[in-house]
Amino acid sequence: MSQFVDLKLRGNDRRTAWCQENSVGTDLYRDGMARLDAGDVAEARRLLEEALRKSPGDVAVMHGLSRVLDLAGERARSVELLEHAHARAPSEPGPAHDLAMALLEREEDVRAVQVLTPVLEAHPEDTRAHLFMAMALAKSDAARARVHTAKALMDSDPDVKLQAQALDDVLAEHQRVS
């Protein structure tokens, strides 16, 4: 019986050590994002790279670091991290939004649709994902794109509404002329 208790305690020690290490990664992430919000890209990068070393599979850390790398002009590495984050959590909106936009910039519209589909399946109310999906579909399926702009127009953010309205106006004109 004492061997069982001893093994159980060692197991708890391992879990406690894991939680403490995970907490350090979380603290580094939180501090890194605060530095990013304050405009200190270099310090944010240092903290988020350390957070990624402590928590290598953490999707939020990968997403945060990808934002820092993008600001630092390292677009290829930023997109690579977004791809990894999306592969680990395909329905997570943040990395999918940023990855879809990067793909749209490279005119990889079909791939952007593939990235956004699991997000919209898991979060049908995600108006930004609807806006990005409308952008991805605009060249190939204006009618479907307009369904997504209509949903994006429900966003409370005036910038999202403005972009959705501008895209919807172009799509409506395209449909009228076609």
Side-chain angles (χ1 to χ4, degrees):
M1 181 97 163
S2 64
Q3 287 178 329
F4 174 75
V5 170
D6 185 47
L7 286 173
K8 186 162 177 52
L9 287 174
R10 276 192 262 151
N12 284 339
D13 287 343
R14 281 193 297 274
R15 272 191 298 280
T16 300
W18 180 86
C19 288
Q20 287 170 340
E21 186 171 312
N22 197 39
S23 173
V24 169
T26 302
D27 291 344
L28 289 166
Y29 167 74
R30 188 177 54 249
D31 293 347
M33 295 308 291
R35 297 310 320 144
L36 179 60
D37 289 342
D40 188 350
V41 175
E43 182 62 6
R45 180 180 184 159
R46 186 189 72 74
L47 290 166
L48 290 168
E49 284 177 340
E50 180 66 22
L52 190 59
R53 280 190 288 279
K54 299 278 185 195
S55 304
D58 190 313
V59 171
V61 173
M62 285 188 265
H63 183 221
L65 182 55
S66 76
R67 291 176 53 207
V68 168
L69 292 170
D70 190 42
L71 289 171
E74 295 184 41
R75 186 68 167 170
R77 186 158 174 238
S78 171
V79 172
E80 181 182 316
L81 270 176
L82 289 171
E83 290 279 8
H84 287 299
H86 179 69
R88 290 188 65 83
S91 63
E92 185 64 34
H97 290 173
D98 291 353
L99 179 56
M101 287 306 298
L103 293 168
L104 289 169
E105 288 169 7
R106 297 190 318 213
E107 297 187 24
E108 295 181 38
D109 300 354
V110 172
R111 176 80 173 103
V113 168
Q114 294 168 345
V115 165
L116 293 165
T117 297
V119 173
L120 287 171
E121 287 171 352
H123 307 279
E125 74 294 339
D126 185 337
T127 53
R128 285 183 187 272
H130 282 290
L131 175 61
F132 301 148
M133 182 65 87
M135 291 175 180
L137 293 169
K139 295 180 211 166
S140 62
D141 191 342
R144 241 176 93 207
R146 289 196 74 200
V147 169
H148 290 284
T149 59
K151 293 177 181 178
L153 283 166
M154 292 186 243
D155 197 300
S156 60
D157 182 336
D159 289 336
V160 172
K161 278 186 178 181
L162 186 63
Q163 290 177 50
Q165 188 61 61
L167 180 56
D168 193 60
D169 291 347
V170 169
L171 292 168
E173 180 63 23
H174 176 74
Q175 282 183 311
R176 190 185 64 72
V177 173
S178 296

